[in-house]
Amino acid sequence: MIEAYFDGASAGNPGPSGAGIFIKANGQGERFCFPLPEMSNHEAEFHAFIAALEICLEKGYKTVSFRTDSDLVNRAIEKEFVKNNTYRPLLEKALTLTKQFDLFFLKWIPSRENKNADELARQAIQKGK
């Protein structure tokens, strides 16, 4: 099974942001980092998740376990609901993408287990400056 770790980060809240994705596939580790415009940390988390979903779909990975240290993203996907209207379009896009997988899992993990994605998200902020 493919494992995709993702994280979003902001330098300020809101501030310059970045998305980091680390994918374990076929014994290899793939790293991706994308600068994002100024936004909140929670928005960056959603953008990182959407990017991870899109990358996996582009690569043809259809059975994927996604890992996040974001309670907000994890709960929003689980309940298919978010209170804040700012996040609603991001949630809807993510849910649409999740339906394209044969098997989709999302698991909350502690931050210490998400260090690769966190480091990539912070690199992305620096790239964008």
Side-chain angles (χ1 to χ4, degrees), residues 61-112:
Y61 302 153
K62 299 294 243 164
T63 302
V64 183
S65 178
F66 291 87
R67 312 292 172 94
T68 182
D69 58 13
S70 170
D71 275 336
L72 176 68
V73 171
N74 189 55
R75 278 181 291 160
I77 296 298
E78 183 180 298
K79 295 180 180 185
E80 298 187 5
F81 175 79
V82 68
K83 285 183 189 178
N84 188 321
N85 287 332
T86 303
Y87 311 140
R88 199 160 285 136
L90 298 169
L91 173 62
E92 289 172 11
K93 183 171 184 175
L95 289 171
T96 298
L97 291 168
T98 64
K99 291 174 178 39
Q100 296 179 42
F101 289 85
D102 295 336
L103 281 174
F104 164 83
F105 302 96
L106 179 62
K107 180 180 178 181
W108 179 87
I109 58 173
S111 296
R112 69 181 178 275

Side-chain angles (χ1 to χ4, degrees), residues 33-48:
C33 65
F34 306 98
L36 298 170
E38 189 168 297
M39 63 182 61
S40 73
N41 187 64
H42 290 313
E43 288 172 287
E45 295 278 6
F46 271 106
H47 282 281

Side-chain angles (χ1 to χ4, degrees), residues 5 7 22 69 109-122:
Y5 297 78
D7 201 10
F22 179 75
D69 58 13
I109 58 173
S111 296
R112 69 181 178 275
E113 293 179 25
N114 206 24
K115 285 183 182 175
N116 284 325
D118 177 67
E119 184 178 297
L120 290 164
R122 293 182 192 289

Side-chain angles (χ1 to χ4, degrees), residues 4-6 21 23 47-57 66 101:
Y5 297 78
F6 65 90
I21 298 142
I23 299 174
H47 282 281
F49 182 41
I50 290 166
L53 291 163
E54 290 173 339
I55 290 167
C56 287
L57 288 169
F66 291 87
F101 289 85

